Amino acid sequence: MARYVRSFCERRGLKVRADKFGNLLTKYQRGGRKAGWPLLFSAHMDHPGFEALEMVGARGVRAQWRGGVALEFFRGAGVRFLSEGKWVRGIIRRVKPLKSKPGQMRRADTVEVELRGRGQVAKGALGMWDLPGPAIRGKKIHAPACDDIAGVAAMLCLLEVLCRRRVNAAVYLLFTRAEEVGFAGCMSACKAGTVPKRSAIVGIECSTELLTARMGDGPILRVGDRMSVFSPRLEGYCRQTADELSRKDKTFRYQRKLMDGGACESTAFCAYGYEATGVCLALGNYHNMNKREKRIEREYIHLEDLAHMIRWFVALASKRRGYEPKVGAPPPLLEGIRRKHERTLVRTVGK
Ligand SMILES: [Zn+2]
């Protein structure tokens, strides 16, 4: 993933900097400096998966699990490891759970996989669910991982459009590691100064579809997650841009919701002192869990949601003024209401 991102950017003449944690940062810059802060788009490159610890006997491998998947999905599920350039497949036979408090979701710690055939899995090899490759069905794309490959893809599409149209803009793109263990890559990037202090961060995610945030109704401006609410001014800046886009193009659609089905890196960015908001896609089979069938399956997203999201990002990046973090004059709508009623307020005090 990181190699693909790097070569995609470098082929378009952009320098990519990796910090010591493996997070990647690049900057698209064309034309003079704009007023305000540049936007920084961010998405994580990882997905829940396994790391091989050791072979157990001739046909078994013990592996560490990393990510949020409920315990009942593991036993009997197919897994594949990429070991020395070759895929080695197997079935999970045993699961050791992490200690959990009552009421908490039970999580897996390590698993034991029975390998098919005579495969060897090297220590440190990475593993994933053994699922079929991506396929488009109707307007949806089903893939072993959409979270957050779709977010990364949206950023690369944004970059492609900016380069092709030679847009005057200044935009950072940050690709993070190890989000699925709890924002580890993102927080290390904040702490180490990989993330420019004066940047307005748009964190991109795939987030469980909710009854109030449906797939196909457009990308979602995420005002907050399970843990916190994000920067209100930056959220307003993104909303205003989406409204302008809707006025110009009647087919553009977006939603604005509190997506509290999970937490995302925007919470971490805000906690480390940055201005951040979130934009996400409604995701089906979150973390490969088909909860109805109790089975590991491909995740899916709606392709039109993704297309609208990219157009929104292009509009945000193309804005003539950058983001101004300071509070400016109140909007004319509110000022109008205040002026209209102020005299009545004074006249009716005590009546
Ligand atoms: Zn994610």
Side-chain angles (χ1 to χ4, degrees), residues 32 71 114 117-118 136 159 177 204 215 226 268 311 325 350:
L71 201 62
E114 182 190 325
R118 249 190 264 278
I136 292 172
L159 184 60
R177 289 193 59 213
I204 312 162
M215 199 172 285
R226 183 164 47 77
R311 284 162 63 200

PDB file of all heavy atoms in Angstrom, residues 32 71 114 117-118 136 159 177 204 215 226 268 311 325 350:
ATOM      1  N   GLY A  32       0.719  30.998  -6.301  1.00  0.00           N
ATOM      2  CA  GLY A  32       1.274  31.714  -5.147  1.00  0.00           C
ATOM      3  C   GLY A  32       0.656  31.246  -3.844  1.00  0.00           C
ATOM      4  O   GLY A  32      -0.257  30.421  -3.831  1.00  0.00           O
ATOM      5  N   LEU A  71     -15.209 -11.430  18.631  1.00  0.00           N
ATOM      6  CA  LEU A  71     -14.592 -12.751  18.835  1.00  0.00           C
ATOM      7  C   LEU A  71     -15.278 -13.887  18.061  1.00  0.00           C
ATOM      8  O   LEU A  71     -14.621 -14.792  17.554  1.00  0.00           O
ATOM      9  CB  LEU A  71     -14.624 -13.059  20.336  1.00  0.00           C
ATOM     10  CG  LEU A  71     -13.644 -14.087  20.846  1.00  0.00           C
ATOM     11  CD1 LEU A  71     -12.215 -13.639  20.626  1.00  0.00           C
ATOM     12  CD2 LEU A  71     -13.891 -14.330  22.337  1.00  0.00           C
ATOM     13  N   GLU A 114      -4.561 -23.460  11.124  1.00  0.00           N
ATOM     14  CA  GLU A 114      -4.112 -24.713  10.510  1.00  0.00           C
ATOM     15  C   GLU A 114      -3.889 -24.424   9.024  1.00  0.00           C
ATOM     16  O   GLU A 114      -4.807 -24.019   8.315  1.00  0.00           O
ATOM     17  CB  GLU A 114      -5.182 -25.796  10.696  1.00  0.00           C
ATOM     18  CG  GLU A 114      -4.771 -27.141  10.138  1.00  0.00           C
ATOM     19  CD  GLU A 114      -5.947 -28.129  10.127  1.00  0.00           C
ATOM     20  OE1 GLU A 114      -6.790 -28.073  11.053  1.00  0.00           O
ATOM     21  OE2 GLU A 114      -6.022 -28.929   9.192  1.00  0.00           O
ATOM     22  N   GLY A 117      -1.984 -27.585   3.095  1.00  0.00           N
ATOM     23  CA  GLY A 117      -0.775 -28.046   2.388  1.00  0.00           C
ATOM     24  C   GLY A 117       0.452 -27.902   3.258  1.00  0.00           C
ATOM     25  O   GLY A 117       0.387 -27.942   4.487  1.00  0.00           O
ATOM     26  N   ARG A 118       1.580 -27.705   2.587  1.00  0.00           N
ATOM     27  CA  ARG A 118       2.846 -27.751   3.289  1.00  0.00           C
ATOM     28  C   ARG A 118       3.463 -26.365   3.479  1.00  0.00           C
ATOM     29  O   ARG A 118       4.679 -26.249   3.601  1.00  0.00           O
ATOM     30  CB  ARG A 118       3.825 -28.621   2.496  1.00  0.00           C
ATOM     31  CG  ARG A 118       4.144 -29.933   3.191  1.00  0.00           C
ATOM     32  CD  ARG A 118       5.279 -30.600   2.480  1.00  0.00           C
ATOM     33  NE  ARG A 118       4.802 -31.597   1.519  1.00  0.00           N
ATOM     34  CZ  ARG A 118       4.455 -32.839   1.868  1.00  0.00           C
ATOM     35  NH1 ARG A 118       4.529 -33.225   3.111  1.00  0.00           N
ATOM     36  NH2 ARG A 118       4.049 -33.670   0.960  1.00  0.00           N
ATOM     37  N   ILE A 136     -17.225  -5.172  -8.624  1.00  0.00           N
ATOM     38  CA  ILE A 136     -18.291  -4.165  -8.659  1.00  0.00           C
ATOM     39  C   ILE A 136     -19.600  -4.877  -8.943  1.00  0.00           C
ATOM     40  O   ILE A 136     -19.710  -5.646  -9.893  1.00  0.00           O
ATOM     41  CB  ILE A 136     -17.992  -3.091  -9.724  1.00  0.00           C
ATOM     42  CG1 ILE A 136     -16.770  -2.275  -9.283  1.00  0.00           C
ATOM     43  CG2 ILE A 136     -19.206  -2.179  -9.930  1.00  0.00           C
ATOM     44  CD1 ILE A 136     -16.248  -1.308 -10.304  1.00  0.00           C
ATOM     45  N   LEU A 159      -5.556  14.150  -6.047  1.00  0.00           N
ATOM     46  CA  LEU A 159      -4.243  14.549  -6.545  1.00  0.00           C
ATOM     47  C   LEU A 159      -4.193  14.492  -8.077  1.00  0.00           C
ATOM     48  O   LEU A 159      -3.697  15.403  -8.739  1.00  0.00           O
ATOM     49  CB  LEU A 159      -3.179  13.608  -5.946  1.00  0.00           C
ATOM     50  CG  LEU A 159      -1.740  13.933  -6.269  1.00  0.00           C
ATOM     51  CD1 LEU A 159      -1.370  15.309  -5.775  1.00  0.00           C
ATOM     52  CD2 LEU A 159      -0.827  12.881  -5.641  1.00  0.00           C
ATOM     53  N   ARG A 177      -0.309   5.081   9.325  1.00  0.00           N
ATOM     54  CA  ARG A 177      -0.215   3.650   9.611  1.00  0.00           C
ATOM     55  C   ARG A 177      -0.944   3.320  10.919  1.00  0.00           C
ATOM     56  O   ARG A 177      -1.140   4.187  11.760  1.00  0.00           O
ATOM     57  CB  ARG A 177       1.258   3.253   9.759  1.00  0.00           C
ATOM     58  CG  ARG A 177       2.012   3.283   8.440  1.00  0.00           C
ATOM     59  CD  ARG A 177       3.346   2.600   8.590  1.00  0.00           C
ATOM     60  NE  ARG A 177       3.167   1.209   9.007  1.00  0.00           N
ATOM     61  CZ  ARG A 177       4.023   0.556   9.807  1.00  0.00           C
ATOM     62  NH1 ARG A 177       5.086   1.156  10.285  1.00  0.00           N
ATOM     63  NH2 ARG A 177       3.799  -0.696  10.134  1.00  0.00           N
ATOM     64  N   ILE A 204     -10.354  11.397   6.562  1.00  0.00           N
ATOM     65  CA  ILE A 204     -11.269  10.624   5.707  1.00  0.00           C
ATOM     66  C   ILE A 204     -11.402   9.212   6.263  1.00  0.00           C
ATOM     67  O   ILE A 204     -10.422   8.589   6.635  1.00  0.00           O
ATOM     68  CB  ILE A 204     -10.731  10.556   4.265  1.00  0.00           C
ATOM     69  CG1 ILE A 204     -10.326  11.947   3.785  1.00  0.00           C
ATOM     70  CG2 ILE A 204     -11.770   9.951   3.333  1.00  0.00           C
ATOM     71  CD1 ILE A 204      -9.409  11.913   2.588  1.00  0.00           C
ATOM     72  N   MET A 215     -26.091   4.534   2.876  1.00  0.00           N
ATOM     73  CA  MET A 215     -25.256   4.369   1.702  1.00  0.00           C
ATOM     74  C   MET A 215     -26.016   4.862   0.474  1.00  0.00           C
ATOM     75  O   MET A 215     -27.209   4.582   0.341  1.00  0.00           O
ATOM     76  CB  MET A 215     -24.980   2.881   1.581  1.00  0.00           C
ATOM     77  CG  MET A 215     -23.827   2.544   0.745  1.00  0.00           C
ATOM     78  SD  MET A 215     -23.487   0.781   0.897  1.00  0.00           S
ATOM     79  CE  MET A 215     -22.734   0.704   2.504  1.00  0.00           C
ATOM     80  N   ARG A 226     -17.611   8.600  18.108  1.00  0.00           N
ATOM     81  CA  ARG A 226     -18.024   8.047  19.405  1.00  0.00           C
ATOM     82  C   ARG A 226     -17.328   8.763  20.556  1.00  0.00           C
ATOM     83  O   ARG A 226     -17.833   8.828  21.668  1.00  0.00           O
ATOM     84  CB  ARG A 226     -17.688   6.542  19.417  1.00  0.00           C
ATOM     85  CG  ARG A 226     -18.114   5.787  20.648  1.00  0.00           C
ATOM     86  CD  ARG A 226     -18.104   4.287  20.389  1.00  0.00           C
ATOM     87  NE  ARG A 226     -16.882   3.818  19.734  1.00  0.00           N
ATOM     88  CZ  ARG A 226     -15.713   3.654  20.364  1.00  0.00           C
ATOM     89  NH1 ARG A 226     -15.598   3.905  21.631  1.00  0.00           N
ATOM     90  NH2 ARG A 226     -14.660   3.228  19.688  1.00  0.00           N
ATOM     91  N   ALA A 268      -8.193  12.051  17.365  1.00  0.00           N
ATOM     92  CA  ALA A 268      -6.780  12.115  17.769  1.00  0.00           C
ATOM     93  C   ALA A 268      -6.153  13.441  17.344  1.00  0.00           C
ATOM     94  O   ALA A 268      -5.449  14.085  18.128  1.00  0.00           O
ATOM     95  CB  ALA A 268      -6.020  10.946  17.168  1.00  0.00           C
ATOM     96  N   ARG A 311     -15.280  14.898  -5.746  1.00  0.00           N
ATOM     97  CA  ARG A 311     -15.640  16.230  -6.271  1.00  0.00           C
ATOM     98  C   ARG A 311     -15.632  17.277  -5.162  1.00  0.00           C
ATOM     99  O   ARG A 311     -15.233  18.421  -5.358  1.00  0.00           O
ATOM    100  CB  ARG A 311     -17.014  16.179  -6.928  1.00  0.00           C
ATOM    101  CG  ARG A 311     -16.921  15.505  -8.306  1.00  0.00           C
ATOM    102  CD  ARG A 311     -18.262  15.047  -8.771  1.00  0.00           C
ATOM    103  NE  ARG A 311     -19.191  16.150  -8.949  1.00  0.00           N
ATOM    104  CZ  ARG A 311     -20.515  15.989  -8.976  1.00  0.00           C
ATOM    105  NH1 ARG A 311     -21.034  14.797  -8.817  1.00  0.00           N
ATOM    106  NH2 ARG A 311     -21.300  17.025  -9.149  1.00  0.00           N
ATOM    107  N   PRO A 325      -8.620  30.119  10.634  1.00  0.00           N
ATOM    108  CA  PRO A 325      -9.022  29.540  11.921  1.00  0.00           C
ATOM    109  C   PRO A 325      -9.640  30.545  12.887  1.00  0.00           C
ATOM    110  O   PRO A 325     -10.324  30.153  13.811  1.00  0.00           O
ATOM    111  CB  PRO A 325      -7.715  28.982  12.480  1.00  0.00           C
ATOM    112  CG  PRO A 325      -6.645  29.746  11.797  1.00  0.00           C
ATOM    113  CD  PRO A 325      -7.174  30.169  10.464  1.00  0.00           C
ATOM    114  N   GLY A 350     -39.016  43.276  30.915  1.00  0.00           N
ATOM    115  CA  GLY A 350     -39.839  43.451  32.120  1.00  0.00           C
ATOM    116  C   GLY A 350     -41.332  43.428  31.874  1.00  0.00           C
ATOM    117  O   GLY A 350     -42.115  43.496  32.810  1.00  0.00           O
TER     118      GLY A 350
END
